[in-house]
């Protein structure tokens, strides 16, 4: 068989001309920009906008599993306030979020200041701080469930051994206030690394010259913290508190694994009550209304926090 030379291969005339025309067309910024943005926009529409719009629609309807739904306006939101379980959940959400965020801010600052010092095995300690984030939330919460168990509670065993508790110790997950204390404790443990590492990053960025100048002027450790460290941490703290407030309000895993909202709705949050109403009882409309009840308030909090951060930055 005779060999075919490269210059004898026939090339279709239209393809190079079409490819060149497509290349010139894509080189235009007003064409190329939308081409790159379109996939991200489609993902946002499918994964964020569509579920949100469906949740809003369900919250304004009498949707029930397996039954056609009708638009009823804000009736679900009005009727929810007549429910004792919802009013208890409303109170629980603010107590849970307020106490947990305050403790995470204070403990996060303390932990970040310690990690910023020259410690032995500093890198290993910083890595260990991330453990609550590395372990899946449901799995780590099961460990806490065992520690708070009424029969095998390690917390009670330790307290009794140290003489700070009387046998048999409190029933952590079976009594109202103890149950709330337990879920708040686990939420603080879970969220503390986020605060500590964000604040640590901000601490590292503070110029050392400020501390040296203040120390030369005779400022003590407390004075340097209140007049240098804390003012420079304000923008970072505002952003961290903003994210933590939103995530804590919408927490689900910790409460659902530990108490499932009990005893007698004393630890229900919006997410867990929404799950019970929407999935367990099939009342999708009411469940969606519970999950969106604080949406306007959270939008206002986000706006206020971002405005505060912008003022601090400029």
């Amino acid at each position: 068989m005779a060999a075919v030379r490269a210059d004898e291969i026939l090339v279709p005339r239209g393809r190079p001309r079409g490819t060149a025309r497509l290349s010139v067309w894509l080189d235009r910024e007003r064409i190329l920009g939308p081409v790159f943005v379109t996939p991200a926009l489609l993902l946002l529409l499918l994964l964020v906008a569509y579920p949100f719009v469906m949740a809003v629609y369900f919250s304004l309807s009498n949707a029930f599993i397996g039954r056609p739904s009708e638009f009823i306006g804000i009736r679900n939101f009005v009727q929810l306030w007549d429910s004792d379980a919802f009013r208890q959940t409303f109170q629980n959400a603010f107590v849970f979020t307020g106490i947990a965020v305050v403790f995470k801010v204070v403990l996060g600052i303390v932990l970040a200041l310690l990690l910023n010092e020259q410690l032995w095995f500093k890198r290993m300690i910083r890595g260990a701080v991330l453990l609550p984030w590395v372990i899946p939330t449901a799995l780590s919460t099961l460990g806490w469930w065992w520690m708070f168990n009424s029969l095998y509670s390690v917390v009670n065993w330790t307290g009794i051994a140290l003489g700070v508790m009387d046998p048999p110790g409190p029933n952590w997950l079976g009594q109202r206030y103890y149950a709330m204390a337990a879920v708040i404790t686990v939420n603080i443990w879970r969220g503390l690394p986020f605060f500590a590492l964000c604040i640590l990053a901000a601490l590292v960025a503070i110029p050392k010259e400020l501390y040296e100048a203040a120390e030369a002027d005779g400022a003590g450790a407390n004075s340097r913290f209140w007049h240098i460290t804390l003012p420079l941490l304000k923008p970072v703290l505002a952003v961290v508190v903003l994210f933590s407030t939103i995530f804590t309000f919408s927490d689900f895993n910790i409460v659902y694994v530990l108490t499932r909202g009990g005893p007698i709705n004393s630890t229900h949050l919006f997410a867990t009550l929404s799950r019970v109403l929407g999935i367990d009882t099939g009342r999708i409309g009411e469940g969606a209304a519970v999950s969106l009840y604080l949406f306007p308030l959270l939008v206002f909090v986000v706006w206020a926090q971002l405005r505060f951060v912008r003022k601090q930055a400029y």
Side-chain angles (χ1 to χ4, degrees), residues 111 114-115 119-130:
L111 185 56
L114 289 174
L115 293 175
L119 303 173
W120 288 358
F121 309 110
K122 187 165 64 176
R123 291 183 180 179
M124 190 177 69
I125 295 173
R126 286 181 179 180
V129 171
L130 285 173

Side-chain angles (χ1 to χ4, degrees), residues 176-198:
R176 179 176 181 176
Y177 296 112
Y178 287 124
M180 179 58 79
V183 295
I184 290 175
T185 300
V186 180
N187 182 271
I188 294 170
W189 172 82
R190 174 75 180 168
L192 190 57
F194 176 67
F195 275 80
L197 293 182
C198 291

Side-chain angles (χ1 to χ4, degrees), residues 53-76:
V53 171
M54 289 302 297
V56 172
Y57 168 73
F58 284 138
S59 69
L60 300 175
S61 71
N62 59 352
F64 195 91
I65 292 178
R67 194 176 66 186
S69 59
E70 295 178 358
F71 181 79
I72 59 171
I74 61 170
R75 192 186 305 170
N76 284 330

Side-chain angles (χ1 to χ4, degrees), residues 239-293:
V239 175
V240 174
V241 168
L242 169 64
F243 279 100
S244 179
T245 301
I246 295 173
F247 292 146
T248 308
F249 258 119
S250 59
D251 199 350
F252 174 81
N253 292 334
I254 292 173
V255 174
Y256 194 73
V257 172
L258 280 181
T259 64
R260 295 183 183 268
I264 317 176
N265 302 321
S266 62
T267 58
H268 256 315
L269 300 180
F270 288 103
T272 54
L273 183 64
S274 174
R275 199 266 182 196
V276 170
L277 289 177
I279 305 299
D280 293 350
T281 67
R283 293 179 286 175
I284 303 176
E286 292 183 35
V290 170
S291 65
L292 293 175
Y293 209 91

Side-chain angles (χ1 to χ4, degrees), residues 14-28 31-32 35:
R15 183 172 299 174
R17 186 178 298 174
T19 304
R21 189 175 298 172
L22 179 63
S23 177
V24 172
W25 191 61
L26 288 177
D27 281 342
R28 299 174 185 173
I31 302 295
L32 190 61
V35 168

